Each structure stands twice: as structure tokens, then as C-alpha cells.
Amino acid sequence: MLSSHSPYPDKLLTAQQTADRLGLRRKTLYNWASLWALEHRGPEPLRLGGRCLRYRESDVAAFIASLEQVA
């Protein structure tokens, strides 16, 4: 998916990189990913097979921005 402000594809972040940016444990992201289709909690995960998750950098940034709007 292309980000709205860049002509280049989003950088894909590992679960650990995403967890670091969000201040969460990686296990929390795996839990959210297992329920994402039902609850849409957190940034949308991309499954690359098995437990391999990646997150679009723009989705992570949008999730952080949505948290800042609530606060």
C-alpha cells in the first residue's frame, strides 16, 4: 500500500520495531494481531506466514496519531 504523502511504498516494520515505537511488549502485538479481524485494535498487521508479522510504517504513525487525539 502506498502512503498518502509519499510516492514510495511504506517501510515495513518488524513486530519488535513496532512494539518499541508503541512502548509495548511484542507479545501484546501478537495478541492484538490474533484478534485484529474482530476488534481492529492497534495498527493493521501484515502476516507473512506463521508468526511473522510486519506493520506498515504509515499505519503505525496513524495509530499513534489517533492515540494523541484521544488524549
Side-chain angles (χ1 to χ4, degrees), residues 11-67:
K11 178 180 176 183
L12 294 180
L13 302 175
T14 66
Q16 187 62 57
Q17 290 170 320
T18 303
D20 290 343
R21 289 187 184 195
L22 297 177
L24 301 171
R25 292 178 35 221
R26 190 174 60 187
K27 176 69 175 162
T28 300
L29 288 177
Y30 286 117
N31 289 339
W32 286 0
S34 69
L35 298 171
W36 199 86
L38 299 173
E39 298 181 6
H40 289 79
R41 182 180 298 177
E44 181 177 4
L46 302 173
R47 288 211 177 268
L48 302 180
R51 289 179 45 98
C52 183
L53 292 178
R54 294 293 183 267
Y55 294 86
R56 289 183 190 95
E57 189 172 37
S58 64
D59 288 345
V60 174
F63 179 70
I64 292 169
S66 74
L67 294 176

